[in-house]
Amino acid sequence: MGIDVEAVHPRRALLAERAVMPEDAAAAGPQSSPDLVATVFCALREAAYKCVFPSLRAPMDWSDVRFETDWRRGMCAVSVMPMAEANFSARFGFNGTSVQAICWQSQ
């Protein structure tokens, strides 16, 4: 299991070019602020890394982690390229000032 909490702030969107893949932004929709979208996917990718690293024991790129995101429900199916045979799930939420994300290996 991996857990991450990230503060939402205006400079977070600067990470978007690394943390947010085109399909991530599309799932969030145009009504979501770039800062929030970047923060959500930073937190999700960090939670996934924390979940996978004990088994993988190798560094990963942020692009190695892909999400099928249901933005309204705060749920994701997660694919981790180095561990393509494993299934992962994630949830996220935000309260206006921070984003909380959790990732776990599912059956």
Side-chain angles (χ1 to χ4, degrees), residues 6-73:
E6 299 284 341
V8 178
H9 57 79
R11 293 188 214 179
R12 184 68 65 183
L14 297 174
L15 290 175
E17 65 186 47
R18 287 188 359 187
V20 181
M21 305 301 141
E23 60 272 17
D24 298 337
Q31 73 282 3
S32 300
S33 80
D35 297 322
L36 178 60
V37 173
T39 306
V40 165
F41 286 102
C42 284
L44 283 168
R45 284 192 162 78
E46 190 64 29
Y49 182 81
K50 291 173 181 176
C51 178
V52 169
F53 185 78
S55 298
L56 189 60
R57 292 276 186 214
M60 298 184 316
D61 288 332
W62 285 25
S63 62
D64 289 338
V65 182
R66 301 294 179 149
F67 302 98
E68 290 182 32
T69 308
D70 181 337
W71 187 261
R72 287 181 292 153
R73 293 177 60 206

